[in-house]
Amino acid sequence: MPVPDAPAATTAAASEQGAVEEGAMERGAVKQGAPVAINPHKSPSKKLTDEQLRERLAEVRRKLAALDSHCTATDGSSPNEAGELSTTEKWGKTIYGDVRGMRYGVVEYPTKKDQDRWDHFSELSDESPQAQRADVGTPAAMEFQFQQPIMHAFGVFDGHGCSAAAADVCKAYLLQEPIAPQLNERNCSLCVDEVLNDPAPGTTQHMQLAPLKKGLVPSDAAIAESFRSVDAQVAREHRDVRCGTTATSVYIGYEPASDTWDVKCGWAGDSRAVLIEPDAKTFANLAIDHRIENDAERERIDVAAKTDLLPNGTPRSYITRRQNSRGEYGPKAVFSGTTGISHLMTRSIGDPHGAPALIPDAEIISKQGVANGSWVVLASDGLWDVFDEAGVAKVVRSTRHPARAARKLTLDSVARRRQYGMTADDVTVIVIELTAPVIQPPESRTSPSKVADIDH
């Protein structure tokens, strides 16, 4: 059946809400691998002279250039002069972390909207009694190799609507939810028996490998359930608030036996992630935008528009362009047939007033056997609107430092948005360098709380 026009009342409501909802961010997504172009849906501001444009770009660069004065040496040495294995330093809106050898950089550039959030923690698994009693040089000390940080989690949450409440809930709960049973249950005999057939249970090698299993990346089912659980929590706690968020969570687990990494990404929305190989020239997407331009997503919503109807025959969810007194404008969006609220993305957490087809179901991509020296970049769409994956890989290749790369990507994305006349948007960029854990004797290790308790 043809999709009906939005009711007049709801159309008017959607028009009034456009200034505050994510959907009103008139921005164009860069297709995977496509060259970056000026957003075709954005009506540019008044034409600037060359001198005015130079002044605008200089203003952006002045605001962010101060961050460079705090950068660490490009040789990759830790900024912690005390020589601790784990350190996190915060430089204004830039954070550099070195978690026992694995480095990461985070840069936040908030606008007045200020609804981007991010989170990180590491599961260190160094509570083994054998590791705590071991003397340097003894066989027991060698077991500490399996007690190094073997699982890290990072998340980016790009909030929208009238509040950042949904993004705040994700920051507080989403990353930890899939591994809560592992964190609370230190006896891993069941999971080890299921995974390890050789060596036999009870042998010394079996006991050495046992701590490894509790830190591996969570299952697809656990990640998917965490998205649904947090979405339900937002609906309970913020029922009367128009708020929602994208969510992209990346879990990174180290495999000592093969000296490689398992990388798993679960996402809903358009905060993209990419895995870049050590040469920084080859890359693979870990997350693909949940937007109408995604054929599978558009087909899903088109089916819903034909099958999920209100009593008067109006679809509960449908795709059309927004309207104001001048007519249609902007790209197509997903509308709710009851509230008239619209979104450019097709999946999100929260949005209790959005279309029923705006689901919180996470898609998941896994990569096994990822080599040391690889990079993971995840960011809000403030970056991906003006950068494609090849451009991000080029910046990583030119800097070879996570904090420097995150700063440059943020600086350039803000400058490009202004140059293209696009609406200002929050930008959050996380760059992670995958390197094998630093092996140290027990007396040298840092308390896990000093790593996990990071001040954002």
Side-chain angles (χ1 to χ4, degrees), residues 90-379:
K90 183 175 179 180
W91 308 316
K93 285 293 181 180
T94 301
I95 291 177
Y96 170 86
D98 185 337
V99 185
R100 296 185 183 172
M102 194 204 74
R103 304 185 303 168
Y104 66 91
V106 185
V107 175
E108 298 176 276
Y109 188 90
T111 62
K112 291 182 180 180
K113 169 189 168 189
D114 193 14
Q115 292 184 3
D116 273 12
R117 300 292 186 268
W118 72 278
D119 192 20
H120 159 254
F121 76 92
S122 294
E123 162 63 355
L124 302 181
S125 297
D126 52 3
E127 298 182 2
S128 166
Q130 295 93 331
Q132 294 174 8
R133 294 196 305 265
D135 296 324
V136 178
T138 65
M142 298 303 295
E143 184 191 0
F144 189 64
Q145 177 179 1
F146 298 98
Q147 308 299 328
Q148 296 302 308
I150 52 180
M151 210 261 320
H152 309 273
F154 294 85
V156 168
F157 317 110
D158 182 0
H160 53 257
C162 300
S163 166
D168 289 333
V169 173
C170 285
K171 175 181 172 65
Y173 299 105
L174 187 65
L175 289 185
Q176 292 84 354
E177 184 113 354
I179 64 165
Q182 293 174 317
L183 292 176
N184 295 331
E185 237 177 80
R186 291 302 180 181
N187 184 350
C188 300
S189 58
L190 290 178
C191 65
V192 172
D193 289 342
E194 291 173 359
V195 177
L196 295 180
N197 296 319
D198 185 22
T203 64
T204 302
Q205 190 175 2
H206 180 276
M207 297 304 296
Q208 289 177 337
L209 289 174
L212 172 65
K213 292 299 150 186
K214 65 186 173 186
L216 291 180
V217 295
S219 67
D220 291 6
I223 294 175
E225 178 57 31
S226 71
F227 275 64
R228 290 190 290 267
S229 174
V230 172
D231 177 72
Q233 182 174 348
V234 173
R236 289 193 306 270
E237 298 179 358
H238 304 285
R239 185 183 304 274
D240 299 326
V241 181
R242 289 200 306 273
C243 64
T245 184
T246 71
T248 301
S249 57
V250 175
Y251 296 89
I252 305 169
Y254 180 61
E255 289 277 13
S258 60
D259 191 27
T260 60
W261 297 83
D262 289 344
V263 180
K264 182 175 289 189
C265 178
W267 81 99
D270 56 3
S271 294
R272 206 180 305 167
V274 62
L275 173 65
I276 303 172
E277 295 190 7
D279 62 3
K281 296 180 180 179
T282 310
F283 54 84
N285 283 100
L286 294 174
I288 301 169
D289 293 350
H290 286 142
R291 302 185 69 163
I292 297 172
E293 293 84 356
N294 183 323
D295 291 342
E297 291 296 286
R298 184 176 62 254
E299 291 173 6
R300 178 178 63 81
I301 296 173
D302 285 342
V303 169
K306 298 175 183 178
T307 58
D308 185 14
L309 307 177
L310 293 168
N312 63 1
T314 301
R316 295 180 187 274
S317 309
Y318 59 92
I319 298 173
T320 189
R321 297 180 67 192
R322 297 187 178 97
Q323 297 183 13
N324 58 21
S325 58
R326 299 180 181 179
E328 293 185 344
Y329 69 94
K332 290 184 177 180
V334 183
F335 276 80
S336 166
T338 55
T339 66
I341 293 176
S342 60
H343 297 82
L344 294 179
M345 68 189 66
T346 57
R347 302 193 190 197
S348 69
I349 288 179
D351 290 310
H353 301 89
L358 190 68
I359 57 177
D361 297 357
E363 283 197 271
I364 298 169
I365 290 179
S366 299
K367 301 290 183 180
Q368 287 81 38
V370 177
N372 283 312
S374 300
W375 303 76
V376 175
V377 179
L378 60 157

